[in-house]
Amino acid sequence: MKVLVVGGGGREHAIIKKIKENSRVSEIFALPGNGGMAKDATLVDIGATDIEKIVDFAVKNNVDYAVVAPDDPLVLGCVDALEEKGIACFGPRKNAAVIEGSKVFSKQLMKKYGIPTAQYEVFSDADEALKYAESCPVPTVIKADGLALGKGVIIATTRKQAKDAVISIMRDKQFGKSGDKIVIEEFLTGPEVSVLSFTDGKTIVPMISSMDHKRAGDNDTGLNTGGMGTVAPNPYYTKEIADECMEKIFLPTVKAMKNEGRTFKGCLYFGLMLTENGPKVIEYNCRFGDPETQVVLPLLESDLLTVMMAVTDEKLSECEVKFSQKSACCVILASQGYPVKYEKGFEITIPEETEKSVFVAGAKLENGKLLTNGGRVLGVTQVRDTLKEAVEASYGEVEKIRFENAYYRHDIGKRALNCKEG
Ligand code: AMP
Ligand code: GLY
């Protein structure tokens, strides 16, 4: 079987390594992938949003199954285009990917179906948004409607900041057309939990829960990033909360999408906040999270490709999805200066015995050498019986990897460990 994976980050590397475990797989194409995946997949130099070329490549190379991992090709309709040519895919179609592609859509969906989320207002006129921002309670949260490379959410602690955010999104078009509309919503507090799930549009199977660490600096300081590390499971997410989420959030969302004629098939990601008034949805993503995937998939004991194909065939209810009872921790090694400004091109050395637990995000191969080529360079995941052991083991492996200007947080898992003890 020939499998194509669209995307090129650490998440895709984790997906590829897991798919490779299936003995039916003869070749995996990573499109575009990155130099750090060269041992696990054939790299194809086509951009992840170049849909025409992706489809053309898949047809010419007799691809049997395609996994579309990142948000932008999903929102652009990559799955629809591949399916039109008869290629089976994992990932939602365009009309379902809108659950991430438009915050206005997702908020209205939640309101219509009574799914718990923050109170909100939608604006398509900057003057009205500014007027609202003058008197709204603060802190408040301003969100660009469309995709914004994970940067479209601004938490304003003062009204001035709220107005500045409105101006930069709606007037200065910081995120282009993604800022034609905005959502201004209530600021919620509580522990955050990421829950990725498999769904075929009828059945939903949540994966093991996880916790992201979004800020650049230790103790959750500094700028927001794509994620500096993850642990799984998330100790705040108890069995009671999981049951409540299934009843009030997960199943209602799948049913709502079906009812809207937008059946969601693929990985549906729930970004949750456990508030005093119960779990609420902070965001939906139409895909696997990054770097959540790098801790969730190593704990998956079932065969990933089999589960994915069951989703495609709408037979998820007949498929066993089993997770290990162990814990996982992923520490991200970034380039010093990320997420603002950083140098690239430094040689990365990874001892051979560490390679299996490394998921490479920003690297390229040049003359046989692996060089840094992005902000987040790679993630190191370790699985152990306890979270404490997993955290220690991950940091142990991190020490063995070398590149100039490497930067990482030293407290991944600390909050989760404190929660367990407290
Ligand atoms: P997102 O880009 O949607 O993942 O949002 C980024 C981060 O902003 C989330 O992980 C939360 O920490 C925070 N956030 C988003 N919406 C809210 C909200 N309504 N209240 C408090 N924090 C929020
Ligand atoms: N880690 C958050 C995301 O993938 O959006």
Side-chain angles (χ1 to χ4, degrees), residues 103 107 117-119 140-143 150-155 185-190 192 212 214-215 224 269 271-273 281-285 287:
K103 300 245 194 256
K107 294 300 287 190
T117 188
Q119 298 286 333
T140 189
V141 186
I142 292 121
K143 299 185 172 183
K151 297 189 180 107
V153 175
I154 295 166
I155 296 178
E185 72 176 31
E186 174 197 9
F187 177 76
L188 300 175
T189 53
E192 284 186 56
D212 195 1
K214 286 203 161 101
R215 301 293 202 94
N224 249 325
Y269 168 127
L272 305 171
M273 196 168 266
V281 177
I282 288 281
E283 63 163 346
Y284 290 117
N285 290 329
R287 51 169 175 89

Side-chain angles (χ1 to χ4, degrees), residues 123-275:
F123 297 94
S124 46
D125 180 88
D127 290 333
E128 276 179 32
L130 285 170
K131 212 164 103 197
Y132 178 81
E134 253 161 36
S135 59
C136 72
V138 282
T140 189
V141 186
I142 292 121
K143 299 185 172 183
D145 176 43
L147 296 180
L149 300 166
K151 297 189 180 107
V153 175
I154 295 166
I155 296 178
T157 47
T158 63
R159 298 215 172 99
K160 160 117 186 25
Q161 280 177 2
K163 286 201 285 188
D164 288 347
V166 170
I167 289 168
S168 78
I169 298 175
M170 296 191 89
R171 289 225 177 112
D172 302 343
K173 296 281 177 210
Q174 187 188 353
F175 307 116
K177 283 185 76 62
S178 287
D180 286 352
K181 288 189 211 161
I182 59 166
V183 171
I184 302 188
E185 72 176 31
E186 174 197 9
F187 177 76
L188 300 175
T189 53
E192 284 186 56
V193 184
S194 307
V195 180
L196 284 58
S197 68
F198 292 109
T199 176
D200 61 0
K202 299 178 286 190
T203 304
I204 179 158
V205 181
M207 298 180 222
I208 203 151
S209 63
S210 54
M211 183 192 286
D212 195 1
H213 297 67
K214 286 203 161 101
R215 301 293 202 94
D218 285 0
N219 300 315
D220 297 321
T221 54
L223 293 172
N224 249 325
T225 70
M228 293 301 294
T230 34
V231 295
N234 185 323
Y236 288 98
Y237 190 72
T238 60
K239 168 84 174 67
E240 290 70 38
I241 294 174
D243 289 345
E244 189 180 351
C245 289
M246 186 52 122
E247 185 201 335
K248 293 185 180 157
I249 297 175
F250 304 160
L251 280 171
T253 302
V254 167
K255 282 189 192 149
M257 289 298 278
K258 190 161 180 235
N259 201 45
E260 293 292 311
R262 297 173 182 274
T263 299
F264 189 103
K265 288 166 62 174
C267 173
L268 182 54
Y269 168 127
F270 299 86
L272 305 171
M273 196 168 266
L274 308 182
T275 75

Side-chain angles (χ1 to χ4, degrees), residues 308-363:
M308 285 179 154
M309 290 171 78
V311 166
T312 308
D313 297 340
E314 296 176 24
K315 289 191 171 142
L316 184 58
S317 64
E318 297 167 24
C319 183
E320 190 194 40
V321 185
K322 201 165 166 256
F323 280 88
S324 146
Q325 297 291 314
K326 295 184 177 181
S327 293
C329 171
C330 173
V331 178
I332 299 291
L333 270 77
S335 302
Q336 184 79 46
Y338 170 75
V340 185
K341 203 172 157 229
Y342 46 84
E343 286 179 65
K344 301 189 277 195
F346 298 114
E347 186 174 356
I348 308 168
T349 52
I350 309 172
E352 214 175 317
E353 75 273 12
T354 305
E355 263 178 17
K356 61 179 180 303
S357 53
V358 170
F359 303 118
V360 183

Side-chain angles (χ1 to χ4, degrees), residues 91-108:
R93 292 187 185 150
K94 184 176 179 173
N95 73 349
V98 69
I99 199 165
E100 174 170 3
S102 167
K103 300 245 194 256
V104 173
F105 170 84
S106 68
K107 294 300 287 190
Q108 285 169 349

